[in-house]
Amino acid sequence: MTIPVSSTTAAPSVRLHVADMDCATCVAKIQSHLAKVDGVLAVEGSAIGRTLTVAVDPALADATTLQEQVGRLGYVARPIVEGAGPPEATGTWTGTAARIAYTSLGLFILAMLLRAVGVEPTVMDASGVTLTAPDVFLLLSALVGAWNFVPKGVRSARALVLDMNFLMTVAILGAVGIGEFVEAAAIAFLFAIAELLENHSVERARASVSALMDLAPDSARVMRNGHEVTIAADDIVRGEMLLLRPGERIAVDGVVERGASAVDESPITGESVPVDKAPGDEVFSGTINRSGFLEVRSTKAAGDSALARIIQLVEGAEALKSPTERFVDRFARYYTPLVTLAAVLVILVPWLLFGAPFDLWFVRGLTLLVIACPCALVISTPVAVVSGVTAAARNGVLIKGGTYLEAMGGVKVLALDKTGTLTVGHPRLLEVRVVDGVSEDEAIALAAAIEARSEHPVARALVDGGEERGIEPVAGVTGFEAEPGHGARALIDGVEFTVGKPDFGKLGDEQAEIVRDMASGGRTVVGLRRGGKLLAWFALADKPRPGAAAAVAGLKKAGVRSIVMLTGDSRAPAEAIAGQLGIDEVRAGLLPEEKVEAVRALEAQYGPVAMVGDGVNDGPALAAAAVGIAMGAAGSDTALETADIALMGDDLARLPYLYALSHRARGVIRQNIAAAILIKGILAIGVPLGAVSLVTAVVIGDMGVSLAVTLNAMRLARVAS
C-alpha cells in the first residue's frame, strides 16, 4: 500500500528493512506515523517483504530520521543497500522471540506441574495478596512472554493505535490485576507462539520471492582486456562479453555472438523444452546453458534484465490492492474500534447496571479485546496474492498485482489477436500452380528474386518458400518498385515481371475458378506475370501456433464462456484459423480503435473481458480490457510496461494455467476472508455467553485463524501448470 503525502516528481527514496513488521496492521501503523514526519512525501510498505520505501525531501529527512521515527513505534529499521538484498533474518524458530516464547512456555509448564503434584508453598502473603510458588512461576511466564509485545503495546498506546500489541498488553495486565495468573501466562506464551507461527507462514510466502532472486547467479565469467576474469554479476555492464560453459546460469540478458547450445528458459518463460540458440539469438538472465559453449554479448546491465524486472514487479505486486483487499482494509478500520467498544461495554454494563461480578465480566471483556485484533483478517489476502503471483512467475507468467490476479479469476470471455498471438505471425508458401511456360521451381525462383527486395509478409513468405525448397532466386533483377496494396514489379534481364493480387475483372472463368479453389480455407493467392502474361499462382497462409488448439480447449475446460478472435485480417483467413482452433466467434477487419470498441461491446454483453495481444500493436485494446495480457514479454520492455499480465514466452499453454491459478486464487482469497470474519464473529458472540475463554480467543481467534488462512493461501503454489 502507498500513502502519498504530497505531489512530487523524481523524489529520492529510502528503502528500509523492518525485521518485525510482519502484518498488515504493522505496516499501516508505521505508514500512518511516517506520513506525519516532515520531509516524507510518500510511504510504501510490504508486510511480506518487510520493507518500507519512503520518498523523501533530502533537505528535511534521511535514513537516520526514518530509522528513529520507526524506532519510536518499537520496530528496528535498517537501510537496504542498493543492489543488496535485505539483511539476513534470524531463523523464526531460533531467534530471540523464539527463545522468549520457549522460556515462557517452560515456566508455565513448571507452574502447572507444581500445582499438579500439590507443591504450592506460600511465597508472599502481604497486603491481602497471597502468592504461591506456582503463582510466581506463572507471573514470570507472563512477564517473559509479554516481553515480545508489551513495549510495542505501550508505544501503540502513546500513538493512540489499537493494534494487537496494545490489545494483548491490556489483556495480560488485566488478567494479572484480577488474579487470573493462569490466563495471563497462557495468553503471553500462546500469543508469543502465535506470532512465531504467523512469522513462519509469512516467511514461506517470502521464500517464494527469494527463490526468484536465487535464479540469478552471483558471479559471471567475462572477457576483459583479452583475459578471462570472474566478476560479480552486479558489475556486468552493457556490451560485456560473457563466457558460458554447459550447466551455467546466464547472469544478464544478451545476444549470442559465438557458439551454439540448447538453453533452458523455463525459469523465465515456463517453456519446459530447452531452446536451441545460435549467433544472433537472444538469451535471458536466469536461464541455463545446457549443452554447448556460448559467448554472449550483454545487452543490459544486471539490474535491467528480464529477471530483475520480474523480481521488481513481483515484489511490488502486494502494493497493488484488489477490490477485495480494499474492502478488508475498510472493514478492519471499523471492526477493531467497534469490537473494542463492545469489550468496554461488556465489562461495564453488567457490573454497573446489573451488579454482576466485576472479575467475571472483566475477563470476558478482555477476551473480546483479543478477538478485536484484525491481523488474521488483514494478512489473509496479501499472503494469497504473493503466493499466487510468485507461483505464476516461476511458471513464466508475470502478474503485476493482486487486482489483476483476482480480476482474471472473474473473466468469462477471452479476446485474442490473431497474427502473432494465435498464429506464428507470418504466412508460408503452401501451393504453386503454374499456368504457362515455366516449371514450379522456375516460378518460385523468379518470384523470390523480385520479392527479396520487399519486407512485406507475403514477400517474405515467397522468399522463405524458395529457401525451404533449396531454390536460388534468379539474378539480374533491376528497377524494383513496390505497389502498396497490389504487389511489386521489377525488371529481370530487361523484361518486366510482376507479383501481385489477382484481378478477377481481367481473369477468364478458368483462371478465376483456379484462384477461388486455391484461396479456399482462407489462403492468400498472388500471381506471377511476365509482361502481361500470367505464369503461375502462389497460395500462402499463416499457420496456428503449436499448441494453440490445445490452449483454446484448455480454456474452455477451465470455464471460459466464450473465446473471441479480434483481428485486422480479412474474414476468410480469420475464420479458417478460428475453425482449426475451435474459437467461438470472429470479428475481422478491425482497425486498432475498432478492437477497443469490440472489447467494450464484449464486456457489455458478457462482463469482464481479458485481451491477449503482443503488447504493442494491440496496446489500446489491452488497455481497454479488464485484464490486458501480453505475449512474448521476455524480450520486450514495452510489453512488460503496458500489460497487466505478461506471458514471458510465446506459449499459449500458459493461458489455461493462468486462468486456473487466478480462479483458484479468487476462491482462496474469499475463503480466507469469510473464514476470518465468521470465526471471529462466532467467538465474539460466544464471549458474553461465557462460551469462549481468553485462551480460546488466542488459540483460535488469533493463532488458529492466522495459520489457517496462510496455509490455505500457500496451496496456490501447487496449482499445476
Side-chain angles (χ1 to χ4, degrees):
M1 181 174 70
T2 303
I3 296 182
V5 183
S6 64
S7 60
T8 181
T9 55
S13 62
V14 176
R15 296 190 71 224
L16 300 172
H17 179 259
V18 186
D20 45 355
M21 186 180 70
D22 53 10
C23 71
T25 50
C26 299
V27 175
K29 179 172 68 174
I30 295 172
Q31 285 179 310
S32 178
H33 179 74
L34 291 181
K36 301 171 186 174
V37 176
D38 289 340
V40 172
L41 305 174
V43 187
E44 181 179 301
S46 167
I48 304 298
R50 293 179 178 174
T51 57
L52 289 171
T53 302
V54 187
V56 298
D57 178 346
L60 298 174
D62 57 15
T64 301
T65 304
L66 299 176
Q67 286 178 268
E68 291 174 354
Q69 292 295 331
V70 173
R72 290 183 182 181
L73 297 177
Y75 298 90
V76 177
R78 294 184 176 87
I80 297 176
V81 179
E82 192 63 35
E88 286 290 330
T90 305
T92 298
W93 304 106
T94 57
T96 301
R99 291 194 294 272
I100 288 173
Y102 302 151
T103 303
S104 177
L105 175 59
L107 290 167
F108 179 84
I109 292 172
L110 177 60
M112 299 311 291
L113 286 174
L114 290 175
R115 281 193 175 182
V117 298
V119 180
E120 299 185 61
T122 299
V123 175
M124 186 182 82
D125 188 359
S127 303
V129 177
T130 301
L131 292 179
T132 65
D135 292 335
V136 171
F137 285 118
L138 288 170
L139 283 171
L140 286 173
S141 173
L143 179 63
V144 172
W147 190 255
N148 277 335
F149 53 86
V150 167
K152 293 179 186 176
V154 173
R155 292 186 179 97
S156 296
R158 290 175 181 168
L160 301 178
V161 176
L162 292 176
D163 67 357
M164 191 62 173
N165 295 307
F166 169 75
L167 296 174
M168 295 301 296
T169 298
V170 172
I172 288 179
L173 293 177
V176 170
I178 62 174
E180 298 288 349
F181 302 140
V182 173
E183 282 76 6
I187 292 171
F189 82 76
L190 284 172
F191 182 64
I193 292 173
E195 292 286 278
L196 293 176
L197 288 170
E198 182 177 290
N199 181 60
H200 175 68
S201 300
V202 173
E203 283 288 353
R204 288 184 61 187
R206 188 178 301 113
S208 60
V209 179
S210 299
L212 292 176
M213 297 180 182
D214 292 340
L215 293 177
D218 295 326
S219 62
R221 288 179 299 105
V222 300
M223 286 296 294
R224 287 187 175 178
N225 301 319
H227 298 285
E228 179 181 319
V229 295
T230 300
I231 63 172
D234 290 339
D235 294 337
I236 297 172
V237 298
R238 186 172 180 174
E240 198 96 66
M241 181 67 77
L242 278 69
L243 308 176
L244 294 161
R245 294 189 176 95
E248 293 182 337
R249 283 192 184 270
I250 300 172
V252 294
D253 295 357
V255 175
V256 176
E257 290 220 348
R258 281 181 286 277
S261 181
V263 173
D264 179 2
E265 295 187 340
S266 59
I268 300 296
T269 67
E271 171 58 55
S272 59
V273 178
V275 180
D276 291 333
K277 299 291 182 179
D281 290 336
E282 278 188 299
V283 292
F284 305 114
S285 171
T287 58
I288 306 167
N289 178 31
R290 285 298 185 197
S291 52
F293 181 82
L294 292 177
E295 294 183 31
V296 173
R297 181 75 65 184
S298 64
T299 55
K300 296 177 182 176
D304 298 324
S305 68
L307 178 60
R309 295 293 307 282
I310 291 171
I311 294 170
Q312 177 187 359
L313 290 169
V314 168
E315 287 183 315
E318 186 188 348
L320 194 56
K321 292 181 178 289
S322 68
T324 303
E325 288 182 271
R326 290 194 291 270
F327 159 76
V328 169
D329 287 343
R330 290 194 301 270
F331 180 86
R333 282 200 297 269
Y334 294 104
Y335 167 81
T336 299
L338 283 175
V339 178
T340 302
L341 176 61
V344 174
L345 294 176
V346 164
I347 295 170
L348 297 179
V349 171
W351 175 52
L352 294 177
L353 297 185
F354 302 105
F358 176 80
D359 289 2
L360 173 65
W361 288 96
F362 186 71
V363 171
R364 292 180 181 179
L366 294 180
T367 305
L368 261 185
L369 281 179
V370 173
I371 296 170
C373 180
C375 281
L377 176 63
V378 178
I379 198 65
S380 61
T381 305
V383 173
V385 167
V386 171
S387 181
V389 168
T390 51
R394 288 197 303 272
N395 285 280
V397 180
L398 179 59
I399 305 173
K400 290 189 177 178
T403 186
Y404 304 121
L405 177 67
E406 190 173 347
M408 189 65 196
V411 162
K412 294 300 181 185
V413 178
L414 201 67
L416 299 101
D417 174 50
K418 179 179 81 73
T419 306
T421 300
L422 287 168
T423 67
V424 294
H426 52 83
R428 295 175 62 248
L429 178 59
L430 301 180
E431 183 182 2
V432 181
R433 293 193 191 180
V434 295
V435 177
D436 188 27
V438 294
S439 66
E440 285 190 14
D441 288 359
E442 289 172 332
I444 293 172
L446 289 165
I450 298 166
E451 297 288 29
R453 287 150 178 79
S454 173
E455 291 300 322
H456 192 279
V458 169
R460 298 312 308 163
L462 289 169
V463 173
D464 291 345
E467 291 178 353
E468 290 172 4
R469 292 165 173 79
I471 300 171
E472 290 287 337
V474 299
V477 178
T478 59
F480 171 82
E481 182 181 349
E483 296 184 345
H486 298 283
R489 67 177 68 246
L491 298 177
I492 299 178
D493 294 332
V495 179
E496 184 181 79
F497 286 81
T498 60
V499 177
K501 293 181 178 179
D503 184 347
F504 284 95
K506 297 181 180 179
L507 293 178
D509 292 341
E510 181 183 354
Q511 293 303 316
E513 185 59 33
I514 290 174
V515 171
R516 291 189 184 95
D517 179 54
M518 294 181 72
S520 63
R523 297 189 292 183
T524 299
V525 178
V526 295
L528 171 68
R529 288 179 172 82
R530 180 171 51 209
K533 184 179 180 181
L534 182 66
L535 298 181
W537 295 111
F538 305 97
L540 311 102
D542 201 352
K543 68 174 183 178
R545 278 188 181 279
V552 170
L555 286 166
K556 290 182 177 180
K557 184 178 180 181
V560 177
R561 184 183 304 169
S562 181
I563 300 177
V564 182
M565 178 192 292
L566 303 181
T567 179
D569 206 349
S570 58
R571 179 159 293 276
E575 288 186 337
I577 294 293
Q580 295 177 55
L581 300 181
I583 288 173
D584 301 308
E585 182 181 346
V586 174
R587 301 193 181 191
L590 301 178
L591 297 173
E593 58 270 22
E594 291 173 327
K595 286 187 178 182
V596 172
E597 294 171 7
V599 167
R600 289 173 178 162
L602 288 169
E603 288 192 336
Q605 181 179 356
Y606 296 103
V609 173
M611 173 70 192
V612 185
D614 61 13
V616 181
N617 297 331
D618 298 305
L622 291 174
V627 182
I629 304 172
M631 290 276 293
S636 169
D637 290 339
T638 304
L640 286 173
E641 292 294 340
T642 59
D644 304 320
I645 298 175
L647 307 183
M648 301 308 292
D650 288 326
D651 186 5
L652 285 170
R654 301 294 99 188
L655 285 174
Y657 163 75
L658 167 62
Y659 187 79
L661 174 71
S662 57
H663 193 73
R664 177 79 65 85
R666 195 165 183 248
V668 164
I669 289 169
R670 295 184 176 187
Q671 290 164 15
N672 282 353
I673 292 169
I677 292 175
L678 183 63
I679 292 172
K680 283 183 174 285
I682 292 173
L683 291 174
I685 293 170
V687 169
L689 302 176
V692 178
S693 67
L694 266 172
V695 174
T696 301
V698 175
V699 173
I700 298 177
D702 180 62
M703 177 171 62
V705 177
S706 294
L707 189 60
V709 298
T710 304
L711 293 177
N712 189 40
M714 298 305 292
R715 292 190 300 119
L716 295 175
R718 298 198 296 270
V719 177
S721 62

